[in-house]
């Protein structure tokens, strides 16, 4: 009996330990193009390197891990079909590599296969009454109106998975903490997306005016001298 | 005797706490898996580098097969065995969008033509222009297409438009045809005016979507 009571107490304590985490830090990573689709496009051929968004994401995840408080979860949201298809094209298991990277940086990996999957996670993947999002970073293709999780992977130069500014209304407007830090590292987000983001969530999102460059490793930088970060 | 018993209990409790902690965290844990091959760049090089072409892959064929000036009438690729097919008319979008052209069911007229994004099936059937020296060399050519309309749409980041998707599984070349007089672009396309007269909801996104 005493042993049973002890085990019951411990089980409750375990539950409390998990639910004590009240903040979530999210890194969202879009997928790469297929080389098949981008072949012959010369200087504008995208994603020669398959992990350009991933490497930048890992750098940011390591930063978040270093700064994380005990009550903060770190979640890595990855568009799975993009890496599955690119891995198939290359003949390697990129999904396994991503899982290994997530393990290395101590992030909870959560795959999504569609915009609907992503929105469902943001809205109710965790109990959003208790666990708010305190950090959000996006690495992937984008234009000023969209995050493009898929780009030139299924259809040449087009997307079949995206989050348009008009889709933001589908995400609950209270998922962020009041002091949340949000940033899109993709191209052009500061030209329109940031304004819609702020309008919907009442939280600023830093975005680029102009293009950003992932090609040189590290966190992406602004491509042009007249570009700038804004929110 | 009392002290050792208490210590044993404390040790047991601490151990169980540790186990419970892991169990609690496990519900939120990573979907980890360490198996799978890892691509290793050649010695002396660092990423980003393109991996070697896989021999016989769709990319290998695209990169290395000889290109033609035009495809002969009757040329076939992919699965062309079905009795039901679509007639497809190629047009490069004058608005510089990424749509492929129109398709219509074989028994219908062009009045029911649908402006589409073409989803290729590498390894089975890809866009005919990939076999040509110039990608626009099949302007106003017609084909028989086998395949189906997808249940999802494509987003064209250059024009901020959504297009129906045709999944190509096979084609046969019909040949050059007269230009069609129907409007290009998806239903609801407006003539974008750079004056800014168009609304926020429909104005074009003319910026390059690429990031690297």
């Amino acid at each position: 009996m005493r042993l049973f009571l002890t085990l019951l107490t411990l089980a409750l304590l375990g539950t409390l330990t998990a639910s004590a985490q009240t903040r979530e830090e999210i890194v969202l990573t879009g997928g790469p193009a297929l080389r098949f689709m981008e072949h012959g496009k010369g200087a504008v051929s995208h994603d020669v390197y398959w992990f350009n968004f991933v490497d930048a994401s890992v750098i940011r995840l390591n930063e978040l891990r270093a700064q994380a408080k005990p009550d903060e979860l770190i979640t890595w949201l990855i568009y799975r079909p993009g890496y599955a298809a690119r891995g198939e094209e290359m003949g390697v298991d990129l999904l396994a590599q991503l899982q290994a990277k997530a393990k290395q940086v101590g992030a909870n990996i959560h795959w999504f296969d569609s915009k609907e999957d992503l929105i469902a996670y943001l809205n109710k993947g965790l109990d959003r009454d208790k666990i708010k999002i305190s950090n959000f970073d996006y690495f992937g293709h984008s234009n000023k109106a969209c995050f493009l999780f898929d780009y030139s992977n299924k259809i040449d130069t087009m997307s079949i998975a995206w989050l348009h500014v008009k889709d933001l209304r589908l995400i609950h407007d209270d998922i962020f903490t009041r002091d949340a830090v949000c940033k899109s590292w993709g191209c052009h987000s500061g030209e329109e997306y940031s304004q819609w983001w702020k309008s919907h969530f009442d939280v600023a999102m830093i975005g680029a005016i102009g293009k950003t460059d992932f090609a040189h490793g590290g966190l992406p930088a602004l491509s042009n001298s007249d570009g700038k970060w804004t929110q | 005797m009392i002290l050792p018993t208490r210590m044993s209990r404390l040790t047991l409790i601490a151990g169980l706490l540790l186990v419970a902690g892991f169990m609690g965290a496990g519900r939120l844990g990573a979907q980890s898996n360490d198996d799978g091959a890892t691509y290793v760049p050649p010695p002396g090089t660092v990423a980003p580098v393109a991996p070697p072409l896989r021999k016989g892959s769709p990319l290998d064929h695209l990169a290395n097969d000889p290109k033609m000036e035009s495809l002969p009438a009757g040329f076939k690729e992919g699965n062309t065995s079905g009795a039901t097919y679509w007639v497809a008319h190629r047009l490069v979008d004058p608005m510089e969008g990424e749509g492929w052209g129109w398709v219509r069911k074989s028994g219908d007229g062009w009045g029911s033509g649908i402006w589409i994004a073409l989803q290729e099936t590498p390894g089975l059937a890809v866009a005919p222009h990939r076999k040509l020296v110039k990608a626009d060399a099949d302007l106003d050519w017609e084909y028989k297409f086998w395949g189906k309309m997808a249940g999802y749409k494509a987003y064209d980041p250059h024009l901020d438009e959504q297009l129906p998707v045709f999944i190509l599984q096979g084609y046969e070349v019909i040949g050059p045809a007269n230009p069609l007089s129907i409007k290009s672009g998806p239903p609801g396309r407006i003539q974008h005016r750079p004056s800014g007269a168009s609304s926020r909801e429909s104005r074009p996104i003319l910026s390059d979507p690429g990031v690297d």
Side-chain angles (χ1 to χ4, degrees):
Chain A
M1 185 63 184
R2 197 178 285 178
L3 181 62
F4 172 75
L5 286 173
T6 306
L7 287 172
L8 186 64
T9 307
L10 292 174
L12 287 170
L13 279 171
T15 306
L16 287 172
T17 304
S19 62
Q21 289 165 311
T22 57
R23 294 160 73 95
E24 183 182 27
E25 302 188 299
I26 287 178
V27 170
L28 172 60
T29 304
L34 289 189
R35 294 309 303 152
F36 179 88
M37 300 296 173
E38 293 295 296
H39 177 75
K41 294 184 180 177
V44 295
S45 179
H46 294 100
D47 305 339
V48 173
Y49 176 47
W50 53 100
F51 271 168
N52 50 2
F53 301 136
V54 169
D55 284 359
S57 299
V58 167
I59 291 170
R60 183 66 184 133
L61 285 163
N62 276 318
E63 287 181 356
L64 294 170
R65 170 58 61 205
Q67 302 162 3
K69 299 184 180 73
D71 69 337
E72 288 173 337
L73 287 164
I74 298 178
T75 302
W76 190 6
L77 303 175
I78 304 176
Y79 181 66
R80 174 165 40 194
Y83 291 96
R86 182 66 182 260
E88 190 177 338
E89 181 180 62
M90 292 166 56
V92 298
D93 188 347
L94 294 182
L95 301 186
Q97 292 184 25
L98 287 166
Q99 285 168 325
K101 286 174 184 289
K103 191 174 182 182
Q104 280 176 354
V105 299
N108 301 307
I109 200 167
H110 185 91
W111 306 106
F112 67 100
D113 294 343
S114 66
K115 170 178 70 181
E116 290 74 22
D117 282 355
L118 174 68
I119 291 172
Y121 181 82
L122 293 174
N123 283 341
K124 54 189 179 187
L126 298 173
D127 183 351
R128 293 292 171 215
D129 288 337
K130 295 174 183 163
I131 304 176
K132 301 288 187 188
I133 299 165
S134 58
N135 181 90
F136 177 91
D137 287 276
Y138 173 65
F139 296 90
H141 290 286
S142 58
N143 65 9
K144 63 184 178 183
C146 265
F147 291 164
L148 304 166
F149 311 125
D150 169 280
Y151 174 71
S152 214
N153 187 293
K154 271 286 196 213
I155 301 176
D156 194 343
T157 324
M158 292 203 197
S159 175
I160 62 161
W162 66 89
L163 189 71
H164 198 275
V165 289
K166 290 183 232 173
D167 296 321
L168 292 177
R169 64 186 167 79
L170 302 173
I171 305 172
H172 299 165
D173 60 8
D174 60 351
I175 61 171
F176 290 105
T177 60
R178 287 177 178 274
D179 60 348
V181 175
C182 303
K183 183 167 184 174
S184 166
W185 298 83
C187 295
H188 306 295
S189 293
E191 296 167 24
E192 187 163 327
Y193 215 98
S194 290
Q195 292 87 331
W196 284 67
W197 188 275
K198 170 72 175 170
S199 172
H200 181 67
F201 296 114
D202 198 22
V203 168
M205 185 185 79
I206 298 167
I209 305 285
K211 297 178 76 172
T212 56
D213 186 0
F214 284 76
H216 301 293
L219 290 172
L222 295 166
S223 297
N224 306 319
S225 57
D226 59 347
K228 63 177 181 179
W229 296 105
T230 188
Q231 60 184 17
Chain B
M1 289 297 287
I2 294 172
L3 189 59
T5 306
R6 276 188 182 159
M7 283 194 68
S8 298
R9 278 184 192 156
L10 284 171
T11 306
L12 177 66
I13 288 169
L16 288 170
L17 266 172
L18 199 62
V19 171
F22 279 128
M23 286 170 68
R27 291 181 294 115
L28 302 168
Q31 301 162 28
S32 59
N33 181 352
D34 288 330
D35 62 6
T38 299
Y39 173 73
V40 180
T45 64
V46 294
V49 294
L53 282 181
R54 284 199 300 139
K55 198 69 185 165
S57 68
L59 181 56
D60 181 30
H61 283 294
L62 179 65
N64 294 316
D65 287 355
K67 306 288 186 191
M68 294 179 264
E69 293 292 333
S70 63
L71 294 172
F75 179 91
K76 293 180 180 179
E77 182 176 86
N79 182 2
T80 59
S81 59
T84 306
Y85 62 88
W86 299 67
V87 178
H89 187 109
R90 171 78 164 136
L91 185 73
V92 177
D93 188 351
M95 290 290 295
E96 299 183 0
E98 301 298 336
W100 181 88
W102 295 275
V103 296
R104 62 172 170 83
K105 288 182 179 170
S106 55
D108 295 344
W110 281 115
S112 63
I114 305 167
W115 182 256
I116 55 147
L118 188 65
Q119 180 175 320
E120 303 164 272
T121 310
L124 181 62
V126 299
H129 71 256
R130 293 204 187 271
K131 291 188 167 48
L132 302 176
V133 175
K134 293 175 70 177
D136 61 353
D138 64 346
L139 180 70
D140 284 318
W141 277 52
E142 291 191 348
Y143 303 88
K144 292 178 181 177
F145 272 8
W146 282 262
K148 61 182 180 182
M149 298 302 296
Y152 47 84
K153 291 195 172 181
Y155 175 75
D156 182 346
H158 292 102
L159 294 178
D160 195 31
E161 287 180 340
Q162 294 181 37
L163 284 73
V165 174
F166 186 89
I167 302 172
L168 183 67
Q169 291 165 339
Y171 70 85
E172 178 182 334
V173 177
I174 297 174
N178 291 326
L180 297 178
S181 57
I182 53 179
K183 190 166 75 72
S184 61
R189 171 184 278 187
I190 60 162
Q191 292 304 308
H192 297 301
R193 284 173 290 182
S195 64
S198 57
S199 73
R200 183 186 184 91
E201 298 298 305
S202 55
R203 74 186 186 206
I205 304 295
L206 296 172
S207 49
D208 190 322
V211 289
D212 66 330

